[in-house]
Amino acid sequence: MEVTDSKHVVAVCGSQRDGSYTHRALQRALTAAEVRGAETDFVDLSNLDLPLFDPDRTDAGDADSLRRRIRRADAVLLGTPMYHGSYSSPLKTALDYCGFDEFEETTVGLLAVSGGGFPTPALEHLRSVARELDAWVLPTQVAIPDSHSAFEDGELTDEGLLERIDALGGQLVDYANVESYPDAPSACAVPTAD
């Protein structure tokens, strides 16, 4: 699919860890989006002041800045480590500060990293939240299991995962602002472990 005008893709990183694998994978996806001609923005939640959400203080800390950055997006990539079978609390807090103004009819991609098995529950939970906000969630998503063995010296070495991350970055551009895949092949939500 050819890009006719510049799309704006925003990645939101729910990891607080120094040298985060989630951070590295999201950066790779943004690079793939840039190759497709997109402008990109990386929202590192560890650099934002976002106190626990209080519905009486929706403008607390950097909440207004976060919402502006996401509203500007044609597509949003949500990335998280898996904690206790779900996504991270910093990402939950960030999403709590957002709503329909930020996500309605916005294309959303999902990426989750796990130190153990497939982070399928985290991806399912994020998909449910994004759908609740009336976002259009790409069928393609990235699951990175066994992250400590998938990365060497901070670099992802699995060619299949690298290709999948690049594909996700490209699809965020290709399908920004659409509500369904045109001529969709069957979408495999999570690759099987071989």
Side-chain angles (χ1 to χ4, degrees), residues 44-66:
D44 186 346
L45 295 177
S46 67
N47 294 330
L48 297 183
D49 172 26
L50 291 175
L52 289 177
F53 181 69
D54 178 346
D56 294 324
R57 295 191 61 236
T58 59
D59 61 347
D62 293 323
D64 286 339
S65 172
L66 171 70

Side-chain angles (χ1 to χ4, degrees), residues 18-140:
D18 289 339
S20 160
Y21 297 138
T22 305
H23 186 284
R24 292 170 193 265
L26 290 174
Q27 288 286 12
R28 171 87 185 207
L30 285 184
T31 297
E34 289 168 2
V35 167
R36 287 287 223 293
E39 296 176 12
T40 62
D41 181 14
F42 188 86
V43 178
D44 186 346
L45 295 177
S46 67
N47 294 330
L48 297 183
D49 172 26
L50 291 175
L52 289 177
F53 181 69
D54 178 346
D56 294 324
R57 295 191 61 236
T58 59
D59 61 347
D62 293 323
D64 286 339
S65 172
L66 171 70
R67 285 192 293 264
R68 274 194 307 274
R69 290 169 79 178
I70 293 177
R71 270 196 307 267
R72 191 166 170 249
D74 297 302
V76 176
L77 176 56
L78 301 176
T80 186
M82 186 168 78
Y83 292 141
H84 305 302
S86 192
Y87 59 100
S88 70
S89 60
L91 186 54
K92 171 68 169 129
T93 297
L95 292 171
D96 285 345
Y97 277 107
C98 296
F100 295 111
D101 289 343
E102 289 71 42
F103 282 98
E104 189 171 25
E105 297 180 6
T106 299
T107 301
V108 170
L110 305 176
L111 182 149
V113 177
S114 171
F118 275 84
T120 306
L123 291 166
E124 290 172 348
H125 296 167
L126 280 175
R127 185 171 294 276
S128 293
V129 170
R131 285 180 173 163
E132 189 67 27
L133 293 170
D134 288 338
W136 186 76
V137 187
L138 288 169
T140 299

